[in-house]
């Protein structure tokens, strides 16, 4: 997700807390029920104050939990719709593992659901690990998917636009996954 902690809808976060436990709402409202002042300093020393109405505050010990509370029901909805896709999530990093077609569709649905709370996928962080020998076939499938998205004005942009494809290895929740030699290299560079 792109700039996730600063972008998540406070309204969605508060509503989900309300759904979980009404007694927690006053505390969350005290933290996020109104705009937050943000101070911005220029190189020339001028200071501007901006009002923040989205996201959680940096340094707030509850930020991670509140972010997860806002996102969890959306991820859960995708899990139920695609039981053959494993969805792993750690903070704002999400990994989908499953059959290519199901995983692509699940990623598209997840992107659409996350957009309802102000979040968007980050193509620079999106990786697709292909089976050995399937890289070109997967690239062709992604190109077809993106063309279909562009040709249909009612269709959302493909979540796969700009993603990185590899047959070697990727990091899943900061752990390397892929061919053994690549994993050993990845670990030796840490």
């Amino acid at each position: 997700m792109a700039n996730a902690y600063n972008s998540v809808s406070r309204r969605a976060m508060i509503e989900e807390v309300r759904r979980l436990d009404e007694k927690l709402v006053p505390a969350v409202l005290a933290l996020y029920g109104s705009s937050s002042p943000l101070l911005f300093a220029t190189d020339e020393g001028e200071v501007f104050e901006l009002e923040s109405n989205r996201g959680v505050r940096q340094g707030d010990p509850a930020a991670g939990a509140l972010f997860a509370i806002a996102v969890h029901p959306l991820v859960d909805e995708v899990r139920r719709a695609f039981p053959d896709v494993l969805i792993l999530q750690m903070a704002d990093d999400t990994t989908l593992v499953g059959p290519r077609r199901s995983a692509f569709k699940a990623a598209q649905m997840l992107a659409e659901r996350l957009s309802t709370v102000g979040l968007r996928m980050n193509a620079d962080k999106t990786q697709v690990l292909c089976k050995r020998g399937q890289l070109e076939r997967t690239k062709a499938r992604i190109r077809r998917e993106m063309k279909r998205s562009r040709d249909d004005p009612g269709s959302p942009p493909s979540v796969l636009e700009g993603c990185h494809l590899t047959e070697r290895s990727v990091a899943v929740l900061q752990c390397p996954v892929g061919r053994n030699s690549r994993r050993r290299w990845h670990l030796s560079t840490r």
Side-chain angles (χ1 to χ4, degrees):
M1 290 175 242
N3 199 22
Y5 277 74
N6 291 323
S7 302
V8 69
S9 163
R10 289 182 181 178
R11 178 179 294 154
M13 185 174 64
I14 292 166
E15 288 308 311
E16 192 56 27
V17 167
R18 179 172 280 119
R19 193 183 71 71
L20 292 173
D21 189 344
E22 185 73 37
K23 290 180 265 176
L24 296 175
V25 173
V28 176
L29 284 172
L31 293 169
Y32 294 104
S34 60
S35 300
S36 308
L38 298 176
L39 300 177
F40 174 75
T42 67
D43 291 339
E44 294 78 33
E46 289 183 84
V47 177
F48 296 95
E49 184 173 306
L50 305 170
E51 291 296 314
S52 171
N53 295 308
R54 303 192 65 78
V56 291
R57 291 188 188 95
Q58 186 174 357
D60 177 5
L66 291 170
F67 177 83
I69 286 169
V71 170
H72 180 76
L74 308 171
V75 175
D76 234 23
E77 183 181 351
V78 177
R79 279 190 182 109
R80 286 190 304 274
F82 294 93
D84 59 338
V85 176
L86 174 65
I87 302 176
L88 305 170
Q89 193 164 34
M90 177 64 166
D92 61 346
D93 290 332
T94 305
T95 300
L96 288 82
V97 179
R100 184 182 65 222
R101 285 190 178 125
S102 292
F104 286 176
K105 288 179 182 178
Q108 190 68 41
M109 181 180 179
L110 182 60
E112 291 167 8
R113 296 304 183 270
L114 291 173
S115 72
T116 66
V117 295
L119 300 174
R120 63 183 175 80
M121 302 293 270
N122 183 348
D124 290 335
K125 288 174 55 179
T126 302
Q127 299 179 344
V128 176
L129 176 62
C130 306
K131 288 182 186 175
R132 190 180 301 181
Q134 295 291 314
L135 185 63
E136 291 308 314
R137 187 173 169 191
T138 302
K139 282 182 183 177
R141 169 81 174 136
I142 289 173
R143 281 193 297 273
R144 284 193 306 273
E145 181 71 33
M146 289 186 303
K147 181 180 180 340
R148 188 174 18 253
S149 288
R150 285 190 295 265
D151 291 347
D152 180 4
S155 175
S158 174
V159 70
L160 300 171
E161 186 100 34
C163 70
H164 305 283
L165 286 94
T166 183
E167 289 180 304
R168 296 194 177 161
S169 74
V170 295
V172 176
L173 303 178
Q174 303 302 319
C175 297
V177 174
R179 293 194 348 230
N180 286 339
S181 60
R182 177 72 174 163
R183 281 187 291 209
R184 280 193 295 274
W185 175 84
H186 186 82
L187 290 171
S188 70
T189 62
R190 296 281 170 188

